[in-house]
Amino acid sequence: AYLAENKNDSLFYQILADKVYSCLSGSAKELIPNLLNQLTGTFSSFSDVSFRSVFPFMSQNIRSGALVFLISDFHDLQQQDFEFLSHLAQKNTISLIHLYDEMETKMPEGVFPCSNRKQTVLMNTQNKSFKEKFQNSWVQQTQLIRQNVQKFGLGYLSLSTDSPYIQQFKSFCMGE
């Protein structure tokens, strides 16, 4: 949005929080305040929407030559999704911004409530088998993303919420 505003470009954005929450396009100068307000707001209504369910909408609304940042934890991104992203990348610049919590990489010891907003279960991370499966799942998903980003020439930035991720994202956008 910052780059688009300074170049006087148009901006298209779509916010997903387990559902299509917002989708707007227009002048970057007009949309940036709206985008920032929505990103700092809370998302109170949720439903199950997969990452790939927004692809058709993206195809119809992203103009050729666009700079596209997909910011997500990418927990449901699969191999077949990269086929679509590679197609989109033929006429656009696509960057995946992988935003994650440190807890996803190394599960702490204990019993924790875990929710998908429909039901809550207790997760026992003291169970060695569960902990290994959880961490292996993280490693496999991260490897899938990195391999395909390289294969299809997509941009990639991995950001932990425990780090100064806004500054890191800014540096990424500025090519630093």
Side-chain angles (χ1 to χ4, degrees):
Y2 173 78
L3 295 171
E5 179 183 34
N6 285 331
K7 291 176 62 183
N8 213 14
D9 283 343
S10 294
L11 178 68
F12 166 82
Y13 72 85
Q14 187 168 21
I15 298 176
L16 304 170
D18 295 333
K19 74 174 193 104
V20 177
Y21 182 76
S22 178
C23 180
L24 293 170
S25 63
S27 159
K29 286 187 187 293
E30 294 170 8
L31 292 181
I32 288 174
N34 188 14
L35 172 63
L36 294 174
N37 285 336
Q38 290 187 31
L39 289 175
T40 57
T42 56
F43 304 103
S44 58
S45 171
F46 297 94
S47 66
D48 290 326
V49 171
S50 69
F51 186 77
R52 72 197 57 76
S53 69
V54 300
F55 289 164
F57 191 81
M58 289 172 63
S59 293
Q60 295 169 1
N61 289 284
I62 295 176
R63 294 184 190 152
S64 184
L67 176 61
V68 179
F69 293 103
L70 299 172
I71 304 171
S72 176
D73 60 7
F74 298 115
H75 73 277
D76 65 344
L77 193 64
Q78 297 176 6
Q79 180 64 43
Q80 69 222 33
D81 300 328
F82 285 98
E83 299 300 323
F84 170 79
L85 292 174
S86 70
H87 176 71
L88 195 61
Q90 290 174 1
K91 295 181 181 178
N92 303 286
T93 302
I94 309 295
S95 291
L96 304 184
I97 311 301
H98 186 194
L99 189 61
Y100 65 92
D101 295 317
E102 270 309 308
M103 193 166 146
E104 291 179 72
T105 65
K106 188 171 183 182
M107 187 65 72
E109 294 287 329
V111 178
F112 303 94
C114 185
S115 173
N116 65 2
R117 294 188 181 87
K118 292 181 180 176
Q119 60 183 354
T120 301
V121 297
L122 291 177
M123 209 168 41
N124 182 357
T125 61
Q126 294 167 333
N127 178 313
K128 187 177 178 179
S129 174
F130 172 80
K131 194 170 183 176
E132 285 176 6
K133 285 180 185 176
F134 186 90
Q135 288 175 321
N136 286 340
S137 175
W138 162 260
V139 169
Q140 289 172 355
Q141 185 66 5
T142 303
Q143 285 175 341
L144 172 75
I145 294 168
R146 289 177 190 240
Q147 288 168 353
N148 281 286
V149 158
Q150 188 172 11
K151 178 180 176 182
F152 294 114
L154 307 174
Y156 179 72
L157 178 63
S158 182
L159 298 174
S160 168
T161 57
D162 294 347
S163 68
Y165 58 90
I166 298 295
Q167 184 58 41
Q168 290 173 347
F169 181 66
K170 230 186 217 182
S171 295
F172 177 79
C173 291
M174 301 308 235
E176 298 172 5

